[in-house]
Amino acid sequence: MDVKKILSQHIEIDGVSGEEIYSLVTETADSRLGDFSLPCFRFAKALKTSPVKIAEDLKEKFDGCEIVSEVRAVNGYLNFFVDNKVFSRGVLAEAAADGFGSSRAGNGKTICIDYSSINIAKPFHIGHLGTTAIGGSLYKIFKKLGYNVVGINHLGDWGTQFGKLIVAYDLWGDREKIEKGGVEALQEIYVRFHREEETRPELTEQARHWFALIEQGDKRALELFHWFKDITLKEVDKIYKRLNVTFDSYNGESFYNDKMQPVLDQLESKGLIKTSDGAKIVDLSAYDMPPCLLVKADGATLYATRDLAAAFYRKKTYDFDKSLYVVAYQQNLHFRQLFKVLELMGCDWAKDCVHVAYGMVSLAEGAMSTRKGNVVWLSKVLDKAVEKAMAIIDEKNPSLENKAEVAEKVGVGAVMFSALQNARIKDITFSLDKVLNFEGETCPYLQYTYARTGSVLSKAGNIVNARIMPDYSALDNDESKELVKLLNRYPSVIADAADKYEPSVISKYLIDLAQAFNRFYIAHRILDEPTARQIARLTLTKCVNKTIKDGLALLGIDVPEKM
Ligand code: ARG
């Protein structure tokens, strides 16, 4: 319910537009002074009188509306008290309806989101949690706002490591063992390659040769390349299912092999390419950046070359309004260079490309490196979290039904939430004990609160549906009022999260909502009240229940009905 809008429609000031009034009305921090307030200082010049007088005149002129119970003019402010019954009735009707929080803001607009973008034959490690969780959430948020969303997994499926893998496989690999062991088995021989390469430099040469064969389309080389890819995709698919993320395209780096030359030609014809020691670069010194290297002296293209081709391909294929890249901040320079080159090429849509950067995730145990093999596999972190969740359930509620299913939701949710809880740019140190604490600002706390609302509702049975007018005076208390106000904010919270590309806006909101519900739950009876009052409180509970579930779904997190 947009109270600001209703108020601004009832206020008329000469020479001031309704939009301006709307933008000036704010929710007050201290509800003893009123619920909403219009500061009148801005109008003093135009109306040639004091703000105090303006506020008083506006109060006199105010013709009243259902939502306002009282208006006061105080020191140049026009303060409004909202009629709590009318407000509660309106907000709860909206919050109880299907699709609460959705909008049509994005109708007719397309947004591309490049996220997760894992590397083939390499571990899906905890470093990819951020991009997968944040990108997956933005995908759902923009969908909810009516956008046409294209989720792109820009697979890292090109590069000399595939030559290395073939050499390693030929030397030490066993087809059956790898089929069974998956990426971890591939990883083992890859690590071995790096170890042995140090004393056997001919291996490096052989790897280069095999990669060249892949590039030339050699049958056996390609077959092995695709096999590595299949193994990886089959495995990550299981993780994506657990994390509730989906993609519309898996066009990875190799997809752009035949799409780079036209872009390079265009750069050449625009006079943007310089040759430096045989390499082709775009000089960016005028923009305080190192040159963007596009073709090495030996003719090899680079990550940036493929990203450039991908940007054009996406614009042509999807005609996006925005194109997001959810990638770690370590790649800040890469994206600044990429977008600058697009701009220099005269692409006016370069401004619609956004690097949605996020911070590092590290475990207390220390750094992660693929080469040395001390990798923190995401699937193992998830398994561990689920195992721990199971132990907690066994201790707290051993007779719970579907324990395994609940533990999966709690464990995986806890890990996901930890990546979505803070401003994305922050580095986080991950600790299972912390994210699985049921009392902190955590996912289990949200899930537990959800289950609590569910248990109240199921105890109430069918009362909510009875044909009795709810008595909203049962919500005339601070705890209920706070909850109703919070519920009313949900649509704007989603819009704000989208504007900032920041799922944490929703995470923080959900924590506030759950905490407010628990305060309400402790302070007030819900069930032992006259029916009409019960229904008002149950409706409120139902709306909280629905909103927690919906908000968590936007983060890609499932809720157990019982915990
Ligand atoms: N595969 C890359 C990595 O793991 C991320 C790719 C991000 N997307 C892109 N279009 N560059 O670092």
Side-chain angles (χ1 to χ4, degrees):
M1 193 181 211
D2 195 348
V3 180
K4 281 172 26 173
K5 187 150 181 199
I6 300 173
L7 293 176
S8 63
Q9 283 162 350
H10 281 82
I11 304 168
E12 245 176 73
I13 304 172
D14 279 345
V16 184
S17 69
E19 285 93 66
E20 189 175 345
I21 296 175
Y22 178 81
S23 72
L24 288 170
V25 177
T26 52
E27 233 179 294
T28 50
D30 183 352
S31 58
R32 283 170 307 182
L33 304 174
D35 298 298
F36 290 86
S37 178
L38 174 70
C40 298
F41 308 94
R42 271 291 178 91
F43 318 128
K45 210 164 171 193
L47 300 179
K48 297 200 181 73
T49 171
S50 76
V52 174
K53 176 88 174 41
I54 297 171
E56 278 163 5
D57 289 350
L58 286 173
K59 174 182 160 8
E60 285 314 309
K61 263 190 8 204
F62 191 76
D63 57 359
C65 62
E66 201 195 15
I67 189 83
V68 177
S69 62
E70 194 192 336
V71 191
R72 285 187 204 159
V74 184
N75 301 331
Y77 288 91
L78 188 63
N79 293 346
F80 300 92
F81 289 80
V82 159
D83 182 301
N84 193 49
K85 290 188 205 65
V86 177
F87 184 58
S88 301
R89 187 192 345 127
V91 172
L92 296 185
E94 282 179 10
D98 284 343
F100 178 51
S102 322
S103 86
R104 286 192 215 122
N107 279 16
K109 290 189 196 141
T110 295
I111 186 158
C112 290
I113 310 183
D114 175 326
Y115 70 105
S116 199
S117 302
I118 50 136
N119 301 317
I120 295 298
K122 289 200 183 170
F124 191 161
H125 60 73
I126 191 159
H128 287 108
L129 174 64
T131 169
T132 309
I134 295 165
S137 174
L138 291 174
Y139 187 94
K140 296 174 183 76
I141 292 170
F142 281 102
K143 272 242 150 117
K144 183 140 179 132
L145 296 179
Y147 285 81
N148 171 37
V149 191
V150 187
I152 302 171
N153 199 326
H154 185 78
L155 298 173
D157 59 0
W158 205 243
T160 45
Q161 79 262 28
F162 293 99
K164 294 177 191 174
L165 265 173
I166 294 180
V167 175
Y169 173 66
D170 280 344
L171 284 171
W172 315 296
D174 172 286
R175 193 156 191 122
E176 225 169 282
K177 228 166 136 189
I178 289 177
E179 286 284 0
K180 238 175 83 197
V183 181
E184 209 169 334
L186 283 178
Q187 202 39 41
E188 238 165 68
I189 57 171
Y190 185 67
V191 170
R192 179 157 179 197
F193 180 95
H194 280 283
R195 218 172 35 232
E196 305 230 352
E197 191 188 22
E198 281 170 25
T199 50
R200 295 170 62 183
E202 74 276 11
L203 293 185
T204 318
E205 214 26 70
Q206 287 170 18
R208 214 169 277 148
H209 171 70
W210 272 107
F211 181 59
L213 287 179
I214 299 178
E215 281 186 300
Q216 290 153 24
D218 173 82
K219 194 158 165 264
R220 173 150 193 274
L222 271 188
E223 190 202 286
L224 284 169
F225 168 74
H226 285 297
W227 182 50
F228 298 148
K229 207 165 151 174
D230 287 346
I231 290 176
T232 314
L233 287 180
K234 226 173 32 211
E235 222 168 283
V236 294
D237 207 43
K238 284 189 215 139
I239 301 184
Y240 288 145
K241 284 214 173 74
R242 295 179 86 178
L243 302 182
N244 290 314
V245 295
T246 52
F247 300 93
D248 304 290
S249 160
Y250 282 89
N251 286 338
E253 296 191 37
S254 70
F255 178 78
Y256 298 100
N257 275 340
D258 60 352
K259 297 174 182 64
M260 290 178 280
Q261 197 52 50
V263 181
L264 290 168
D265 291 345
Q266 204 183 324
L267 276 162
E268 200 93 57
S269 74
K270 292 195 172 183
L272 289 165
I273 293 267
K274 266 195 192 162
T275 310
S276 157
D277 293 331
K280 290 184 177 173
I281 62 158
V282 177
D283 180 12
L284 298 173
S285 57
Y287 310 97
D288 274 338
M289 281 187 260
C292 181
L293 179 55
L294 293 173
V295 185
K296 287 200 235 171
D298 64 4
T301 53
L302 291 106
Y303 179 59
T305 330
R306 286 182 283 282
D307 250 332
L308 203 53
F312 278 97
Y313 177 82
R314 289 174 195 175
K315 184 65 194 172
K316 194 178 97 216
T317 310
Y318 307 112
D319 193 23
F320 57 71
D321 293 88
K322 280 267 184 284
S323 182
L324 312 185
Y325 297 81
V326 186
V327 185
Y329 67 61
Q330 280 87 345
Q331 296 193 29
N332 272 352
L333 176 62
H334 166 74
F335 286 105
R336 278 175 52 223
Q337 290 178 314
L338 178 68
F339 301 160
K340 183 52 85 180
V341 172
L342 290 172
E343 189 191 310
L344 293 174
M345 291 176 81
C347 307
D348 57 348
W349 46 269
K351 64 175 190 331
D352 303 322
C353 296
V354 184
H355 176 202
V356 178
Y358 65 89
M360 278 229 304
V361 180
S362 50
L363 276 189
E365 287 95 88
M368 297 163 273
S369 149
T370 319
R371 280 198 187 184
K372 299 204 194 78
N374 56 340
V375 186
V376 185
W377 299 73
L378 184 55
S379 60
K380 293 194 177 149
V381 175
L382 295 177
D383 291 345
K384 206 128 203 159
V386 172
E387 198 181 293
K388 257 186 184 287
M390 190 61 152
I392 297 172
I393 295 167
D394 271 333
E395 189 198 309
K396 293 198 171 184
N397 192 356
S399 58
L400 183 72
E401 289 165 47
N402 309 324
K403 274 197 281 192
E405 204 181 295
V406 176
E408 171 76 14
K409 289 178 180 173
V410 173
V412 173
V415 174
M416 282 283 265
F417 193 73
S418 71
L420 297 168
Q421 181 167 25
N422 297 304
R424 60 182 151 73
I425 203 67
K426 281 195 188 157
D427 291 335
I428 53 174
T429 311
F430 180 84
S431 131
L432 277 180
D433 286 329
K434 222 167 64 193
V435 303
L436 279 166
N437 181 346
F438 279 50
E439 256 109 69
E441 298 185 352
T442 60
C443 188
Y445 173 75
L446 294 176
Q447 289 169 323
Y448 183 74
T449 306
Y450 172 78
R452 175 176 263 181
T453 58
S455 122
V456 173
L457 293 167
S458 68
K459 269 191 210 136
N462 237 339
I463 299 176
V464 206
N465 302 325
R467 291 183 165 276
I468 296 176
M469 274 290 277
D471 177 359
Y472 289 108
S473 71
L475 307 184
D476 263 332
N477 51 68
D478 290 346
E479 294 78 16
S480 307
K481 281 186 192 166
E482 194 194 354
L483 264 182
V484 172
K485 274 192 183 172
L486 273 168
L487 285 169
N488 193 40
R489 272 182 44 209
Y490 186 55
S492 66
V493 163
I494 300 174
D496 193 30
D499 277 349
K500 297 180 172 135
Y501 311 119
E502 188 68 271
S504 67
V505 172
I506 294 175
S507 316
K508 295 206 166 85
Y509 168 81
L510 290 174
I511 295 283
D512 287 346
L513 184 67
Q515 289 175 340
F517 177 79
N518 287 317
R519 278 193 294 273
F520 162 77
Y521 179 83
I522 289 164
H524 303 282
R525 295 167 174 284
I526 302 177
L527 296 174
D528 304 325
E529 284 275 304
T531 313
R533 288 174 62 82
Q534 251 189 67
I535 294 177
R537 289 185 179 170
L538 282 169
T539 308
L540 180 60
T541 305
K542 174 87 204 140
C543 291
V544 173
N545 170 280
K546 220 176 131 265
T547 305
I548 293 180
K549 181 175 181 168
D550 193 72
L552 281 175
L554 289 178
L555 304 177
I557 297 171
D558 289 330
V559 283
E561 293 304 320
K562 288 194 182 136
M563 233 168 121

